[in-house]
Every structure is written in structure tokens, then in C-alpha cells.
Amino acid sequence: PKFLGYFEQVLERNAPGSHYIAGKAVTYVDLSLFQMIAGLRYAFPRALARLEPEHPRLIALHDRVAARPRLVAYLSSKRRLPFNQQGIFRHYRELDS
């Protein structure tokens, strides 16, 4: 998808040492991209596994955000709602080619 490529290009153009979309500090955009990648992995696991090698910076961003201590605590807590078949990120088996 083109939108993944757009964010990959933004990350590629960032100055050295800028590990997030807007530089050296995490922003809501980074958190949103983390959630988008996590959701796409749930909804379209085969398709995203194929696309991930084409977007290494975006996947690295996802991993950096996922490793933040407060997010690690939230993700492992009961407060986090798991992906399910009622949310926007459902598993679309018939579309996951």
C-alpha cells in the first residue's frame, strides 16, 4: 500500500539519529503508526509479512515504540483490549492474500 511507502520515505529522509516521524521524540503520529502496524498484522498477517521487508524503517519504528516501558506495561495489562472481530482491525482471511 502506498501509505506505508509514504511513512517509510519520511523516516528515510529524517536526519541521522531521528528515530521517530518528527525527529528524536515520540509523538502521537508514532503511537498511531505503532497501532496501525499492530492492527494490520492482526487483520492481514500474510500480506503484511510479505510487505514488511519493503518497509524496514517503519517496522523498526513500530518495534521502538512497542519497547517503550510505559507502553510495554500497558500492552501487558488488562486495560488493553485485544483485537477482535468487532473492531476496525478484524482478521480478513478472505482478503489476506
Side-chain angles (χ1 to χ4, degrees):
K2 287 184 181 184
F3 69 92
L4 293 177
Y6 169 75
F7 290 112
E8 183 71 18
Q9 288 175 355
V10 170
L11 289 165
E12 185 177 4
R13 285 189 227 134
N14 278 350
S18 300
H19 298 293
Y20 299 101
I21 284 289
K24 294 184 180 184
V26 69
T27 65
Y28 284 112
V29 175
D30 301 297
L31 295 171
S32 296
L33 287 170
F34 160 79
Q35 182 68 10
M36 180 189 70
I37 295 298
L40 289 172
R41 283 178 172 169
Y42 177 80
F44 306 103
R46 291 190 318 229
L48 199 61
R50 248 190 359 266
L51 292 170
E52 283 187 15
E54 299 172 25
H55 304 92
R57 291 173 186 84
L58 189 54
I59 299 308
L61 171 71
H62 168 275
D63 296 345
R64 269 191 302 282
V65 171
R68 296 179 62 82
R70 291 177 66 188
L71 189 56
V72 168
Y74 169 72
L75 293 173
S76 62
S77 76
K78 292 181 181 179
R79 294 181 302 149
R80 172 115 196 257
L81 298 175
F83 292 115
N84 57 63
Q85 291 305 103
Q86 286 74 45
I88 188 168
F89 290 114
R90 301 177 181 90
H91 181 97
Y92 296 94
R93 188 178 340 244
E94 64 280 2
L95 300 176
D96 188 23
S97 57

